[in-house]
Structure formats: structure tokens, C-alpha cells
Amino acid sequence: MTPTAYREFAPPPGLEALVACVWISHDGEVRVLPDACVDVVLSGGRLLVAGPATAATLAPATPGQSRVGVRFRVGAAGAALGVPAGELRDQGVPLAELWGSDARRMEDRVAAAEDERAALLALIGGIAQRLPAPEDADHEVRRAALALARPIAGQDDLATVAASARAAGLSERQLRRRFERAVGYGPATLARVLRFQRFLHRANAPEAAHAPLARLAAEAGYADQAHLARECRRLAGLPPSALLAAGAAPAGERPHR
């Protein structure tokens, strides 16, 4: 998501195990980039679930209306929403299709809020009532996802996935099956998305204002600048230089979480 008029806040106490952040945006049309997370968003008066993305999408403008959202942690969406996250991949699904009348009542409360902050609080409150206990999340998948977020220098994708499976105490087959439910896609795809987000984090750091793409690519874990260019076109639909010129900023979970 581009940084213009976008504000992000820490999750309320008690929700940190499943929720990465909550946010408010005043943007018009927004290029939403893959970030390995799933959001529940009020957009145009409707509550939508933005599923785990494997390519960029354009969120249409909502003139005169703010967007508010709750972003689940990587690997938490399946437990949080009560459906396999793989069923939401690359989709925007009305929350009512998942939660029925509860979602419709929540949608009415959020849409009727007097301002954006009240709308966000109503959204958080409604989601908090439906969230499972933190211990119901797939903690082995979470450990594997964190291992993928911190790859070893010089290690290729296959070795990184194998290492993440060992970190979770699972076979690679078990890991893929459980990733489909908890994350929405397999560990190899997650590794690509997280690496792309590392590139965006590094490119947006103040000290990287004039850094060459080749250096940013190496720091993010790409084999070389050409590898970065291929993956950037695949995930964002633009070459790296054009993406950064458009003001692309990282999203998802911050690396330290």
C-alpha cells in the first residue's frame, strides 16, 4: 500500500497474538502489494476480507470515505477467521460470507460510526468478539513463518523451506498442508513474498535513499539484481525502479515482530 495518508497502530492489548496492526487510510486508488497477511477492511461501506495475495491489486478510490482495517499476523488468518486461508487466496470476500449475520451487524455498526476512529474501534471490537483463544493458532506454522522471515545468507529457497520445517518440527509435506490452512499458500511462496517485503523495507529506510538496486537486492536476499527485477514484476506488476518511484512502502508485519 502506498504511504500517502496511511496510519498504522499497534493492536489493542490481548489481541497481539493474532493481530499485527490496525490501520486507517485516506487514499484514493491504492496499489496493494503482497505482504503475506490477511486484512478485514471497511471500504465503501462494506466489510471485506482481503485474502493472502500473490500479485498486486488496485483498490478503487472511495471518495469522501476513509478505509479502516485490522491486519492479522502471518499464519494467523486461518484460525482468526475460522476458514482455511487458502480459500481466500487472491480474493476480496465479503465478511458476511464467512461470519453471516454477525458480520452484517458489525458492518452496520462500523459503517454508522461518526468518524474514522470510531469506525476502527467498532471494527476492532466486533472482530475481538469472534477471535479464538491465542493457543488455538497454529504455533508450529508461526515458528516456520518466522524462520522464513530470517533466512540464512547464501541459502536458496529450497534450503530455506527445509530449515523452516525443521524449526517447526514438521516434515516439509506437513508444513505445506498446514501453511495452506493457516497462511493461504505454501512456504516457498511465503518466502518469496517475505523477501519482497524485505526489499521494500530496505529501500524505504532513510539510509538507503541513494542506494543502488544491486545492493538492495543483495541485502534482501536476492541472488542478484535481475532476480529482484523478475520477482518485482511477478509480485508488484512493475520493475523495481518504477515501483519505488511510485512510492511503494512495506506492509504486513514489521520484521521485529
Side-chain angles (χ1 to χ4, degrees):
M1 183 178 291
T2 55
T4 306
Y6 171 79
R7 288 177 291 162
E8 187 177 293
F9 310 93
L15 303 186
E16 303 95 329
L18 298 174
V19 175
C21 69
V22 299
W23 54 267
I24 298 171
S25 172
H26 302 284
D27 294 300
E29 185 178 80
V30 180
R31 181 181 292 270
V32 182
L33 303 172
D35 62 9
C37 292
V38 174
D39 292 47
V40 176
V41 184
L42 178 74
S43 181
R46 300 182 66 201
L47 285 176
L48 301 173
V49 178
T54 59
T57 58
L58 290 176
T62 54
Q65 296 180 316
S66 299
R67 294 185 181 93
V68 299
V70 171
R71 180 170 300 139
F72 297 113
R73 291 195 181 279
V74 176
L81 294 169
V83 296
E87 295 182 6
L88 308 172
R89 184 168 52 241
D90 292 320
Q91 295 187 65
V93 178
L95 185 62
E97 290 188 9
L98 307 182
W99 286 359
S101 59
D102 284 352
R104 286 187 284 272
R105 286 191 292 269
M106 188 195 316
E107 187 171 84
D108 290 342
R109 290 195 299 270
V110 177
E114 61 184 12
D115 57 32
E116 61 192 19
R117 186 168 289 273
L120 182 58
L121 289 174
L123 177 59
I124 294 168
I127 287 177
Q129 292 178 7
R130 288 289 305 251
L131 289 180
E135 57 267 23
D136 291 340
D138 193 327
H139 296 289
E140 287 80 11
V141 163
R142 181 67 184 168
R143 283 197 293 273
L146 290 173
L148 289 172
R150 294 187 290 267
I152 299 171
Q155 185 169 267
D156 63 21
D157 287 352
L158 291 177
T160 298
V161 169
S164 71
R166 290 194 297 273
L170 299 171
S171 70
E172 292 183 48
R173 185 175 181 179
Q174 289 174 318
L175 188 69
R176 285 193 295 271
R177 185 176 66 251
R178 288 168 67 168
F179 260 58
E180 280 289 324
R181 178 169 182 83
V183 178
Y185 38 59
T189 298
L190 178 61
R192 289 196 297 271
V193 171
L194 293 178
R195 183 171 53 211
F196 174 64
Q197 284 292 326
R198 283 197 302 275
F199 161 69
L200 291 178
H201 276 285
R202 283 161 171 75
N204 280 273
E207 63 273 17
H210 303 290
L213 283 175
R215 193 189 92 191
L216 295 174
E219 291 176 349
Y222 290 98
D224 51 31
Q225 187 173 335
H227 185 199
L228 165 64
R230 289 193 302 274
E231 288 289 286
C232 195
R233 286 183 180 277
R234 178 180 183 179
L235 294 171
L238 292 171
S241 55
L243 183 65
L244 297 179
E253 290 192 53
R254 297 295 179 254
H256 62 276
R257 293 181 183 171

